[in-house]
Amino acid sequence: MNPLDALPSVMTGEADPGDLLETLAARLGAGHVVTDPDDMAPHLVEDRGLFKGQALAVVRPATVEEVAFVVSECRARQVPIVPQGGNTGLVGGGVPQGGIVLTLGRLNRIRAVDAMNSTMTVEAGCILKTIQDKADEVDRLFPLSLASEGSCQIGGNLSTNAGGTNVLRYGNARDLVLGIEAVLPDGRVLDALSSLRKDNTGYDLKNLFIGAEGTLGIITAAVLKLFPKPRRRVTAFIGCASPHAALELFSRLRGTAGETLSAFEYMPRFALEMVLKHAPGAQRPLQGDHPSYALLELSSPDPELDLQARLVSVLARALEEGVIEDAAIGASEAQNGALWLLRESISECQKQEGGSIKHDVSVPVSRVADFIQRAQQACEREMPDIRVCAFGHFGDGNIHFNLNQPLGMDKAAFLGHWSRFNRIVHDIVAEMGGSISAEHGVGLVKLAELPRYKDPVALDLMRMIKRSIDPLNLMNPGKVVPPAPKLPDA
Ligand code: FAD
Ligand code: ZN
């Protein structure tokens, strides 16, 4: 689907809301079945305003039992449900096309913390930042970290299998979960809230729901893994001549810093200059000007480990051998924060440079520099004044390959080229053995593209799973799972 297209309703002829809203209001309280257009408005759009949806109401249950009640009542009337957390998702997965929006924000209890087991049991509507802070209070780390952490919710993080800046060391959201609780499309509650590190009693059901973007059920709670809190941390900002030089530095650090290398992010000159122009408080980190930059972090729970000495020795050698051109190491937490601000402000600053066509892609780490170079050349051939802003989680092979509109070009006219640039970039990704969605999911934005790039047998299995768990197609219909191809007429 081209993100600029109007969204059709997915309500089928079978749907008959009847007295649904009155029934829900009687159980949840009238204030929690929202139909006022102004109050509903923020729930009908996504972060970038690419889609505008429609819904009968925004429904706000506060307990698992209430979620199950809402789902059962919707099922009885064949009314679709779109779950929503913080609505910070970037692929239109939370935008409704009819039916109701079910928000999880009121399910926000931390049910249990077991520091000895290094686990925390949380409800889906807990804000990510609240979870990080709670872990910190018990001297542990919950490592999932995204620029949207102040408003996204753990249910949304798990449903999109979110990534972020610590994947290199701790893995994706999927790797940070031991168990989940979910309300199935038939209204039953799946209690898979295991806090076990080992459990081989059959299929790994939790992973069906993680990354499913709400298409198989509603995650209501999860058992999260906690980690030792880092006591030493060193952050550095590197200037180098090319993405290939950044890759060489990454490889050297991976070899010597091992597990202590917790982040390795990349940004081109264009991104740094844009942030320096628009982000309040952003300061130039290095004196000179370089084509490519890396932001990296080493961390360890061992307070005795001299991470700085380790880093300095790798950087000194890299400078000597011409692998990098310059480096700055943060001398305090405030300076580290200032370096991270440069990276975390990129998405926000891009909005101020007009329209941008975005790609969240991954390739094997060994090919990430080749990918950046090749895709940039291909896009510039297509539109010479296009401004390529290829940044992101370099150490995971995950690049946000974003294209800023040429200066002076009409925004809508530029965004009209969305599909054309998707095709160019995604074809290169596919040729390099990559994925067209690394961390943001499929939602609506990537739905039409999926059949071109994903194994047809894998797609068929996805359809079979969807049909068997949600036979009435009521859970976030029209997202993630592309319809089966039409068979040619006999
Ligand atoms: P929502 O946007 O509300 O929902 C996302 C999807 O999950 C939708 O399909 C929705 O239907 C479904 N869903 C939500 N809650 C539930 C539930 N409880 N049960 C079932 N389905 C549910 N993402 C990354 O991976 N890495 C990043 O670094 C990153 N950085 C970001 C930076 C910014 C500034 C912004 C705006 C977004 C960023 N994102 C990033 C995308 C987004 O924040 C993440 O995808 C986040 O995990 C979504 O959480 P949410 O609560 O906002 O979910
Ligand atoms: Zn990202």
Side-chain angles (χ1 to χ4, degrees), residues 5 8 36 52 64 143 173 200 260 356 361 368 391 438:
D5 292 345
D36 178 83
K52 184 159 176 10
V64 186
N200 277 349
T260 62
S356 58
V361 298
V368 67
F391 70 97

Side-chain angles (χ1 to χ4, degrees), residues 47 82-95 102 104 124-125 144-149 151-165 209 212-215 217-220 343-344 347-348 351 360 393 398 400 438-441 443 475-476 479-480:
D47 190 71
V82 180
Q84 243 180 43
N87 200 19
T88 66
L90 296 173
V91 288
V95 181
L102 188 154
L104 278 301
L144 188 65
S145 176
L146 326 171
S148 55
E149 63 200 22
S151 55
C152 63
Q153 298 173 5
I154 193 69
N157 301 145
L158 300 187
S159 298
T160 56
N161 185 26
T165 48
F209 297 88
E213 301 179 51
T215 57
I218 298 175
I219 297 176
T220 49
R343 163 65 184 87
E344 281 165 355
S347 301
E348 208 44 44
K351 290 183 186 158
D360 161 41
H393 318 295
N398 172 196
H400 297 310
E439 60 172 8
H440 295 159
M475 290 306 312
N476 211 358
K479 315 276 173 60
V480 184

Side-chain angles (χ1 to χ4, degrees), residues 223-287:
V223 181
L224 306 175
K225 288 186 201 168
L226 305 180
F227 293 82
K229 199 155 107 181
R231 315 242 167 240
R232 292 297 284 260
R233 195 191 299 273
V234 51
T235 306
F237 203 88
I238 312 296
C240 51
S242 66
H244 290 87
L247 185 60
E248 171 60 25
L249 177 66
F250 173 73
S251 163
R252 289 177 177 210
L253 276 166
R254 205 56 170 148
T256 49
E259 281 292 288
T260 62
L261 182 61
S262 46
F264 194 103
E265 300 284 309
Y266 174 87
M267 68 177 85
R269 175 192 281 142
F270 172 72
L272 178 65
E273 295 303 326
M274 181 181 68
V275 168
L276 292 172
K277 184 168 153 201
H278 297 295
Q283 284 173 9
R284 190 173 288 283
L286 300 169
Q287 299 242 305

